[in-house]
Amino acid sequence: FNVYICHLTQFAIAFQIAPISRIATVQKVRYPQTSAVLNGSKSSDLDGRIVLYRWRIIDPSGTEAVIKNPNAPISNLSTLVPGPYQIELVVEDNDFSSSSSIVQIMVVGKATTLQFYRQPSPCSVAGKHLVSQPIASVHDDVGSIVDDTNDLHLSATLLQRVSHNVEDLSVATSFLWLGNIPPNPSAGFAIFSDLVLLTPGWFSVQFSADGLVPAMSDFFRIVPGRAQYLEVIGLSRQCFLRKDVWSPNILVFVTDSIGNTAFSSNFTVVASIFDLNKHLITFDGSQTSSFKLDSTVSFCGQILFETTILTNPNACSSSTKAIQVTLQYISEPLCVASMCEPGAVRQDCSSLNMGACQQCPVGKYSFSNMTSCSSCPQGSTSPSGSTKFSDCQCGTGFTGPNGVSSCQGCSAGSFKDVVGDAPCQMCPDHAHSSPGSKSSIECVCNPGFSGPSGGQCTICSAGKYKFIAGSCIACPRGTYSSFMGATSGNACRPCPDQSDSPAGNAAVINCTCLVGHSGPDGVSCIA
């Protein structure tokens, strides 16, 4: 029986349960708060009771932090400074069994530093998400993450390197990227979600906060996607007039899915008339001057451009195997028409109709390979269908050599009534004309002279005058004028008192006394 009791005691000791040390979670301490509550009251013992609590600081060693009441279930940790702390709680029960647990306490200081927690991927393809999206973070003096960033006004800017100089940066315009810039900050982090850049180049993300030095990410490269489209620029007109050789200076590009140039090497392009399978030319797509059609080509239709090249589906990876693609571009409808002979130009040419050649009108000319008629200089003219500049001759009212840049108008008192290089002619004596007169009819007799327009002018006789165009005008009855070539009615003087004369009187002697009055002719009469 005594042996049985001994075995029972040994069995109980063998299955004794150790106590459980539990420390309540300690929220992050934000400096200048310098204390934290240590709560081990949830520690327990399933087969007895806890008789001892023992708190101690494991890390950092040599700290000035103090645990008040280190043998109480609930204690206080004080004199904290920013940084991490490790605190251990050992509990012991009435059977002398013990256990321990450790809690991490982070004391976070004031935000002082911005940095990139995760750098963007060094290379990504334009139009696709960055392989690695950048993440920026806010830290205090000891490197702890500051999660209370509401007062920092976090922002971000996408910078683009505009030359080989890494300091030559500009703010990228909004059409260069898609995604969340500036980012939405969360718990001390700024995650640039779904960042997609659309244009090849070198970029960096700058992360900023009020009062802190901005942080810049590593530079990362954006490369074009694989070649997907053939683009042709320069065929927007509907009608092209063929010269000796036709070269509209087109530009040919191989682009990715979002329009970036995706192929820079030389590549061969074959041009043909669409739907007719008629070959036009094979040319180097990288040389704009190499697209020249044969001088005999004329057609209305669409041009099919086609090239076959090797392209890398992922230019960020040197191990990706290039694939061969055939790309096509079909132009809008257009016409290629021959040039007209000198003296004519093509009219009404459109994308569906070559139109017809029409002579240049009077006053215009065209020589070889001109697409429109040019006007003769001011004051000159030319016959319809003129083929050269020298066909422009000074018109009526203008004089000068044929083909000069400008003709001189005839001066006042002269005229020119023929086309060509003849000089202006002077009006007849005692006649005048306005500048640029085109006919002798515009020569009219001067005041005091009379005669037909463009003809001989005769001086007005005594007793007459003229101040406008027309014939000489007789002085009225009862007046006289002894002047020849009088230019005004003021030349007609009244006869002496109580005398009279017929109209057109040329001398005072012709003034005779009125009926009932007497006296010599030409003097005052008395009753």
Side-chain angles (χ1 to χ4, degrees), residues 333-388:
L334 54 84
C335 281
V336 178
S338 62
M339 300 297 296
C340 298
E341 295 296 325
V345 293
R346 190 169 294 278
Q347 299 289 336
D348 302 322
C349 182
S350 67
S351 62
L352 302 175
N353 192 329
M354 293 186 188
C357 291
Q358 295 184 7
Q359 280 192 340
C360 292
V362 172
K364 295 189 175 184
Y365 66 93
S366 73
F367 44 80
S368 178
N369 291 338
M370 288 185 64
T371 58
S372 62
C373 297
S374 296
S375 297
C376 288
Q378 182 179 3
S380 63
T381 187
S382 64
S384 61
S386 293
T387 62
K388 53 188 180 297

Side-chain angles (χ1 to χ4, degrees), residues 164-366:
H164 294 294
N165 185 353
V166 295
E167 296 181 355
D168 192 4
L169 303 173
S170 65
V171 177
T173 52
S174 59
F175 61 80
L176 294 182
W177 49 266
L178 300 173
N180 194 10
I181 288 186
N184 294 323
S186 174
F189 290 92
I191 302 175
F192 298 80
S193 58
D194 299 328
L195 187 56
V196 176
L197 272 69
L198 307 178
T199 302
W202 287 91
F203 298 88
S204 175
V205 176
Q206 179 174 275
F207 185 47
S208 304
D210 287 352
L212 301 181
V213 177
M216 280 183 58
S217 73
D218 294 343
F219 280 100
F220 56 97
R221 184 185 180 195
I222 301 297
V223 298
R226 77 171 184 87
Q228 196 159 336
Y229 298 107
L230 182 66
E231 298 289 345
V232 179
I233 299 176
L235 297 177
S236 57
R237 287 185 295 164
Q238 296 180 334
C239 178
F240 291 91
L241 300 179
R242 191 191 68 240
K243 301 183 180 180
D244 294 335
V245 288
W246 182 55
S247 179
N249 292 325
I250 67 169
L251 299 177
V252 182
F253 301 95
V254 175
T255 68
D256 61 13
S257 61
I258 55 176
N260 295 309
T261 300
F263 193 83
S264 58
S265 302
N266 295 345
F267 57 99
T268 300
V269 180
V270 177
S272 58
I273 301 178
F274 184 60
D275 284 344
L276 296 181
N277 199 27
K278 180 180 179 181
H279 179 265
L280 292 174
I281 187 175
T282 299
F283 65 101
D284 183 353
S286 62
Q287 302 293 325
T288 58
S289 60
S290 66
F291 182 79
K292 295 180 180 180
L293 296 183
D294 186 86
S295 60
T296 61
V297 172
S298 292
F299 69 92
C300 287
Q302 294 172 279
I303 300 179
L304 169 64
F305 296 86
E306 187 173 77
T307 186
T308 299
I309 60 174
L310 290 174
T311 181
N312 191 334
N314 183 3
C316 287
S317 173
S318 58
S319 62
T320 304
K321 185 178 180 181
I323 59 175
Q324 180 173 289
V325 294
T326 297
L327 308 175
Q328 294 182 337
Y329 176 88
I330 301 175
S331 73
E332 294 294 325
L334 54 84
C335 281
V336 178
S338 62
M339 300 297 296
C340 298
E341 295 296 325
V345 293
R346 190 169 294 278
Q347 299 289 336
D348 302 322
C349 182
S350 67
S351 62
L352 302 175
N353 192 329
M354 293 186 188
C357 291
Q358 295 184 7
Q359 280 192 340
C360 292
V362 172
K364 295 189 175 184
Y365 66 93
S366 73

Side-chain angles (χ1 to χ4, degrees), residues 45 55 111 160 164 207 217 370 380 402 446 459 495 513 516:
D45 184 27
W55 297 91
Q160 182 178 20
H164 294 294
F207 185 47
S217 73
M370 288 185 64
S380 63
N402 295 334
N446 295 332
I459 192 170
C495 287
C513 292

Side-chain angles (χ1 to χ4, degrees), residues 417-468:
D417 56 4
V418 295
V419 174
D421 57 0
C424 297
Q425 300 181 51
M426 298 302 297
C427 288
D429 291 342
H430 310 299
H432 70 278
S433 64
S434 300
S437 293
K438 300 179 180 181
S439 170
S440 62
I441 300 299
E442 297 182 55
C443 295
V444 295
C445 293
N446 295 332
F449 291 82
S450 178
S453 296
Q456 189 68 37
C457 294
T458 304
I459 192 170
C460 291
S461 60
K464 295 183 178 181
Y465 67 93
K466 186 172 98 40
F467 62 90
I468 58 174

